Amino acid sequence: MKKTIVMAALLVNMVVAVSGTDFEERISRRVWLRDYFNEVIYGQDRNILLKYQPKLTKEENIFLYYGYYDADTRLWFDESAFYRDRIKCSKEDDSEYGSYISMSGWGFRCKAKELTPDLYEVQIEDVRISQELYELLLEDGHNMKFALDATEPEYSLYCRFDGEYLYIYLEDGKTLYATYCAYDESEEEALYEAIKTNEFDMTKFTFPRYADGTCDYESGGGVPGKKIVDGLYRAQDNLRLRVNENTSSEIITTMKAGTYMIILSLGKEETIDGITDNWVEVELQTGARNLEGDVITGTVGWCFGGYLK
C-alpha cells in the first residue's frame, strides 16, 4: 500500500479526493511552457535557453535530429521541436488511466484527483524508466531520477495552479520538479519565431501572472518601470484617478490601496517623487472602491504608473 503523504504547508488537512476532474481541461485551455522561457522573452536573447537545455550545444544531437544532409546548414534554433518544452494532458479513453500527460520527451498514462480547487494528485500508471532514457532526458533538462529509482508503478505527482503558473511536485508533495507558465497559442508562435531570428517584438507577449495579480516580469525587455498593456496591477497606496495624464488634471476619484486595475494604454513618461515611469490609462476592476466605500468598478482614468505594483 502506498505510504501516507505528508505535504507540509502544501496539503494541510488533505481530505478524500474525488475522481473525475477538470485537470485535462485546465491544461488544454492554454499553452503551458517551462518557466525559463519567461527569461528568454524578458532578456530578448535565445541563447538563455542554452543554460537550461545543454543538449542544444552538442553538434552530434543536431546531426541526429536533422540528418546528415541538413546538419551543416541548420542550427538548434531553426526548428522549435528541438527545444520546445511544454506540458500537455489529454483524455484518451474512459479506462482508469484514461488520460495521458506529456512533458517534452516523456509521457505516461494517468488519472487525476482533485484535492482542492487548484491542487490535483496525478497518479501515473507506471513512472519507471531505463538508465538510457534517464540520461537522454537529463540532456533535455528533465532530471527524472525519481522515475529511475521507482520500483513500483502508480507513482503520484502533485500539480498546483497559481493563476497562470503550474507547479509540479514529486510524490512527497514538497519537492518541486518543474514549473510551467501559461501563454496563448499566438504568443507561442511569436516566441518560436523570435527564437529563430533572435528578434523579439515585445508587443506580442504578456507575461504570466499569479492568482493575486502580481507578475515577476513587469518590465518588458529589462526596462525598469515599463508597464504592460492589458496587464493587471494594484495600487500600492490610496491613489488618485485623473481625467488626463498630469497632476494638474481633474480628479475623478481616489481609489483605495490594493485596488486592481487593467492598463488600457501607456501615456507620457515622467519623474514624480524620484520615480520615473509612464502615466497609464486604466480601468478599475471588480471590488474597486473609493475612500468613502463607494463601488467604482469599471471607472476609467489616468494615474501614475510608478505607484502601481
Side-chain angles (χ1 to χ4, degrees), residues 41-301:
I41 298 171
Y42 183 80
Q44 300 183 53
D45 183 4
R46 67 187 173 202
N47 292 313
I48 292 174
L49 267 178
L50 301 178
K51 178 171 67 172
Y52 296 98
Q53 295 192 32
K55 71 164 186 179
L56 300 178
T57 62
K58 296 187 177 182
E59 293 184 1
E60 62 268 27
N61 285 335
I62 301 294
F63 173 82
L64 291 173
Y65 184 81
Y66 287 121
Y68 178 78
Y69 294 106
D70 291 331
D72 57 347
T73 60
R74 299 181 68 105
L75 300 171
W76 67 265
F77 46 76
D78 287 326
E79 176 55 59
S80 62
F82 194 58
Y83 58 78
R84 183 167 52 208
D85 193 347
R86 63 186 180 184
I87 183 173
K88 298 180 72 174
C89 189
S90 58
K91 188 73 172 177
E92 291 193 329
D93 54 55
D94 293 326
S95 62
E96 182 180 10
Y97 291 94
S99 296
Y100 189 83
I101 190 168
S102 61
M103 301 184 194
S104 295
W106 63 278
F108 302 96
R109 290 174 59 84
C110 67
K111 60 181 178 180
K113 290 184 178 181
E114 182 179 322
L115 304 178
T116 72
D118 287 315
L119 180 65
Y120 299 81
E121 179 184 6
V122 178
Q123 297 178 343
I124 306 299
E125 185 175 32
D126 193 347
V127 75
R128 294 170 294 186
I129 61 174
S130 66
Q131 178 70 35
E132 181 182 10
L133 180 55
Y134 166 73
E135 293 175 359
L136 289 173
L137 291 172
L138 196 60
E139 286 192 342
D140 286 343
H142 297 281
N143 189 347
M144 292 280 291
K145 193 171 190 309
F146 66 94
L148 180 67
D149 294 341
T151 57
E152 298 179 0
E154 299 183 354
Y155 190 94
S156 288
L157 297 172
Y158 291 86
C159 298
R160 179 171 66 87
F161 291 91
D162 182 358
E164 296 177 313
Y165 281 76
L166 171 60
Y167 300 99
I168 300 177
Y169 298 87
L170 300 187
E171 194 171 38
D172 62 6
K174 297 179 289 184
T175 303
L176 182 64
Y177 170 66
T179 302
Y180 290 82
C181 295
Y183 282 93
D184 294 333
E185 290 184 1
S186 61
E187 292 176 311
E188 182 188 30
E189 292 176 3
L191 170 63
Y192 296 155
E193 181 61 26
I195 290 175
K196 186 174 182 178
T197 62
N198 213 24
E199 296 179 359
F200 290 75
D201 181 352
M202 299 303 289
T203 65
K204 294 184 178 181
F205 304 103
T206 300
F207 288 108
R209 291 186 172 275
Y210 299 100
D212 66 0
T214 57
C215 176
D216 289 333
Y217 300 89
E218 299 288 13
S219 306
V223 181
K226 189 72 171 179
K227 297 298 186 289
I228 302 170
V229 174
D230 292 333
L232 183 65
Y233 294 84
R234 287 184 295 171
Q236 296 186 43
D237 299 296
N238 297 337
L239 183 60
R240 292 170 178 167
L241 193 67
R242 298 180 180 273
V243 173
N244 293 309
E245 50 187 314
N246 57 71
T247 56
S248 60
S249 176
E250 178 185 349
I251 298 172
I252 299 174
T253 188
T254 301
M255 66 189 96
K256 286 186 174 182
T259 297
Y260 283 99
M261 65 200 76
I262 292 288
I263 290 182
L264 303 177
S265 64
L266 298 181
K268 66 181 181 182
E269 185 177 285
E270 190 173 348
T271 300
I272 300 177
D273 294 334
I275 303 171
T276 300
D277 210 320
N278 293 84
W279 281 83
V280 290
E281 184 184 23
V282 301
E283 179 181 348
L284 305 188
Q285 300 300 293
T286 302
R289 293 181 181 273
N290 61 18
L291 296 183
E292 289 72 40
D294 301 321
V295 176
I296 52 176
T297 299
T299 304
V300 174

Side-chain angles (χ1 to χ4, degrees), residues 20-44:
T21 74
D22 63 347
F23 179 75
E24 297 91 348
E25 181 184 353
R26 292 184 73 168
I27 293 289
S28 62
R29 287 177 196 160
R30 303 287 297 276
V31 176
W32 294 88
L33 302 173
R34 277 289 289 272
D35 55 341
Y36 52 69
F37 282 102
N38 295 334
E39 296 184 32
V40 174
I41 298 171
Y42 183 80
Q44 300 183 53

